[in-house]
Amino acid sequence: MTPSRRRRRRRRHPVRSAAAASLVCVLAALFLLFVTVPGKRADSRAFATASACVGDEPALECRKTIEGTVKGTETVPRGKTTHYWLTITGRGGDTHRAEMNGPASVFGRVRPGDPVKATYWRGKIRFVDFRGTVQLTADQPKDAYRLPFACGMGLLALGGTFAWLTYWMVRQVGRHPARYAWQATVLPCAGVLTGIVAFVAPMVTDTMPTALVLTGAGTVPVVLGALWRIRVRRRQSEEFEIAPVVPEREECVEGGVAARTPYGGELIGAYLVVGPGLLAVTPDPEGRALRRVLPRTLVVERVRVPYWSDPSGVTAETRGWRKALRQVVLVCRDGDDEVLIGVQRKHVPWVLGALQGPAAPGEPQAPATASESRA
């Protein structure tokens, strides 16, 4: 596989991942918003308008109230959630058990033997009445739409974020060759914040229109802040001015080298060894084995941000997305040939110092090529 094909393949993978994530989020959001939420709201309206049951009529579409006494209460912690169970003994000796929607109100006041009234609807206890104080159960249909509505709103915001990232990676990468850290952080952060606002709004409001208004009001400053951040970041230069620092001892740091030189094929490794007058590439994390020393004829032209078109040996070897966002590229020349060195920005002074310092004693001036090794 040629290097250009490898670069195209590397670029297609995040595009496909973002598109798939967008599709999943949007489909899940549409299901919640247009299937689950209407069903929950229909149940709420049916419960609010249900009439009392007549005689022994089963509590299906009507409300049936039973009287009894409290048998006991039980608090059951399960992970980060706590369940509050109330057990009632009916007049006929039958037992009814309901999970309450919190520890306050009825659950926190009743004691064994206290008289209570429990109202059934569609086969489940929906609320409990104790001396005029009413507490809803966990199966109450009044606010059951809130959680799926909140999840649907949050997923819709995240799906829109992934869709925008997909568009940006397809349309903008070719127009803007420089790969800045803000390109991978500002939009996702804005999307996550918007998703949080969209999720919280239905949980703290009483109606869907109010939740939508609150979501819009919270989204506006997030979007404006993201646009301002992008505008500021776009003005930053592609190049850096960094003073060299000669390392006091040898250090092994993550990085990579790609060279359009006769010895370029020998410079394979995911680590750089920097020291006084020494710069080498190695696949050994300890920096001791299989060193390939870069020649002393290298001249640093500039230090810039990575480009999307940079060879994989420069950018793909850095482990972890956080480290990749802090990476820069040193553009060097060895005669007429170009050599690119990718390294984290905090290690650039060492690399510059290693190239400027005197050659380390006993180190070769250039790595051996494949033909020299066979000879």
Side-chain angles (χ1 to χ4, degrees):
M1 184 181 296
T2 62
S4 59
R5 289 187 62 188
R6 282 197 297 268
R7 286 196 296 270
R8 287 196 298 269
R9 190 172 182 179
R10 271 195 304 137
R11 188 178 299 174
R12 284 197 298 265
H13 178 70
V15 171
R16 291 172 178 172
S17 300
S22 174
L23 181 62
V24 170
C25 289
V26 170
L27 290 178
L30 293 178
F31 179 82
L32 289 171
L33 295 175
F34 293 99
V35 178
T36 305
V37 171
K40 296 292 185 181
R41 287 175 60 80
D43 291 344
S44 177
R45 289 191 295 269
F47 175 71
T49 58
S51 59
C53 295
V54 179
D56 293 333
E57 183 181 359
L60 297 178
E61 297 301 326
C62 61
R63 298 185 185 186
K64 185 173 185 178
T65 302
I66 62 161
E67 297 182 357
T69 58
V70 175
K71 183 178 180 180
T73 58
E74 184 181 7
T75 301
V76 182
R78 187 170 299 170
K80 296 182 179 180
T81 305
T82 303
H83 301 271
Y84 304 94
W85 292 96
L86 176 65
T87 305
I88 302 171
T89 301
R91 290 186 174 181
D94 49 338
T95 300
H96 307 268
R97 198 162 186 256
E99 182 181 356
M100 309 305 290
N101 65 351
S105 190
V106 172
F107 184 87
R109 294 177 55 191
V110 295
R111 298 292 181 269
D114 288 342
V116 294
K117 297 179 181 179
T119 299
Y120 271 87
W121 182 69
R122 291 185 180 178
K124 295 181 180 180
I125 296 178
R126 305 298 178 168
F127 61 85
V128 178
D129 186 340
F130 173 61
R131 297 176 182 174
T133 301
V134 176
Q135 182 178 358
L136 299 172
T137 67
D139 293 319
Q140 58 87 18
K142 179 182 177 181
D143 298 325
Y145 78 93
R146 287 191 177 187
L147 184 58
F149 184 48
C151 293
M153 293 283 287
L155 287 173
L156 192 62
L158 289 180
T161 302
F162 283 120
W164 171 255
L165 284 175
T166 304
Y167 166 79
W168 180 84
M169 285 187 287
V170 171
R171 303 288 297 178
Q172 302 299 318
V173 167
R175 300 178 184 177
H176 304 286
R179 193 183 70 182
Y180 293 102
W182 62 262
Q183 295 171 337
T185 55
V186 174
L187 286 176
C189 288
V192 171
L193 288 176
T194 302
I196 292 174
V197 172
F199 178 84
V200 172
M203 306 300 290
V204 298
T205 54
D206 294 329
T207 62
M208 291 180 64
T210 307
L212 293 174
V213 171
L214 182 60
T215 301
T219 301
V220 170
V222 173
V223 173
L224 292 178
L227 294 176
W228 172 81
R229 189 68 174 173
I230 291 174
R231 183 176 180 181
V232 171
R233 288 296 185 179
R234 277 181 173 173
R235 297 175 181 175
Q236 74 181 45
S237 174
E238 294 183 8
E239 300 182 7
F240 304 94
E241 293 292 338
I242 301 178
V245 175
V246 179
E248 297 181 358
R249 62 180 184 278
E250 289 188 6
E251 302 282 353
C252 186
V253 300
E254 292 185 16
V257 179
R260 298 185 179 94
T261 63
Y263 54 81
E266 300 293 328
L267 301 177
I268 300 175
Y271 300 91
L272 297 176
V273 180
V274 293
L278 170 66
L279 179 60
V281 60
T282 174
D284 179 17
E286 301 295 329
R288 298 174 182 174
L290 301 176
R291 291 185 179 184
R292 297 294 184 268
V293 181
L294 274 74
R296 305 298 304 171
T297 52
L298 282 184
V299 177
V300 180
E301 292 187 335
R302 59 191 177 117
V303 182
R304 60 164 172 80
V305 299
Y307 285 174
W308 296 99
S309 58
D310 285 338
S312 59
V314 176
T315 58
E317 300 298 337
T318 301
R319 292 164 173 78
W321 64 270
R322 291 183 180 178
K323 294 180 180 180
L325 292 177
R326 303 188 188 107
Q327 194 178 38
V328 297
V329 174
L330 286 78
V331 181
C332 308
R333 286 284 173 183
D334 187 4
D336 294 332
D337 299 317
E338 184 181 64
V339 178
L340 302 179
I341 303 174
V343 68
Q344 292 186 61
R345 185 171 180 175
K346 64 180 180 180
H347 297 143
V348 172
W350 285 352
V351 176
L352 294 175
L355 289 173
Q356 291 185 3
E363 292 290 353
Q365 297 299 304
T369 63
S371 59
E372 292 171 342
S373 299
R374 287 193 296 270

